[in-house]
Amino acid sequence: MGKIEKITKQTENRFLNMFELDTLRRNGTRSKYYVSSRAERTEDLKLETHINKPDGVIIYAVTEDKSKVLLVRQYRYPIDAYVYELPAGLIDEGETFRQAAIREVHEETGMILHPIEADPMFEAPRYTTVGMTDESCACVFGYVTG
């Protein structure tokens, strides 16, 4: 297993920051590794806390008659194109992940999300792109109306 010798915060942004890691590999060579994170401070990085608290939510919703799946069409700067995707968003301070899902669905679509209780195994936060970020998202399942 490698070792992280030093962490340097590279940016000061509200929603996403870059951190440079000075690492020591198992074979003794040193290298740099870059991690993006929702953390505002080095000590809040998940590699420091070892706590997988969700940063955001991914919403899996269907209409009440189960005939349609809710998708949103959004422009994404990194690819300079529109994509269809599941609704998702960040969890605000003081919100539960289910509250965030209800808010995000309403903000993005005007619809009302009615979350269902799912097995915690399915809702537990999962890392999205673990090779480049420590961001994790909880999954919320439910029905939409409106």
Side-chain angles (χ1 to χ4, degrees):
M1 185 158 110
K3 179 182 176 190
I4 299 167
E5 296 184 320
K6 181 181 174 189
I7 304 169
T8 308
K9 186 175 180 186
Q10 299 289 303
T11 60
E12 285 290 337
N13 295 307
R14 181 175 170 200
F15 296 111
L16 186 67
N17 285 293
M18 183 69 71
F19 296 84
E20 179 183 79
L21 312 181
D22 291 327
T23 65
L24 179 62
R25 295 183 180 174
R26 287 187 306 178
N27 66 8
T29 61
R30 287 183 160 69
S31 66
K32 303 270 187 198
Y33 197 92
Y34 297 90
V35 175
S36 62
S37 178
R38 302 286 182 187
E40 292 182 18
R41 304 174 314 150
T42 300
E43 48 273 12
D44 296 330
L45 288 167
K46 291 176 184 166
L47 63 87
E48 292 281 26
T49 66
H50 300 283
I51 298 170
N52 185 9
K53 179 182 172 200
D55 302 288
V57 291
I58 302 170
I59 300 119
Y60 299 85
V62 295
T63 55
E64 286 187 304
D65 66 2
K66 301 178 187 170
S67 67
K68 296 178 180 80
V69 174
L70 182 63
L71 297 175
V72 292
R73 181 177 183 259
Q74 296 196 74
Y75 177 79
R76 294 299 184 188
Y77 286 106
I79 60 171
D80 189 27
Y82 283 91
V83 297
Y84 287 95
E85 60 190 18
L86 295 167
L90 296 177
I91 300 170
D92 289 343
E93 191 69 37
E95 276 185 323
T96 68
F97 67 93
R98 283 192 192 91
Q99 289 169 334
I102 292 166
R103 177 183 50 75
E104 286 290 342
V105 165
H106 192 262
E107 285 177 2
E108 293 182 8
T109 69
M111 299 180 87
I112 305 299
L113 174 68
H114 307 277
I116 61 170
E117 293 284 330
D119 187 306
M121 174 183 80
F122 297 112
E123 294 180 327
R126 306 286 182 208
Y127 294 104
T128 55
T129 311
V130 76
M132 56 190 266
T133 181
D134 66 354
E135 179 182 67
S136 68
C137 292
C139 297
V140 177
F141 301 87
Y143 296 95
V144 288
T145 57

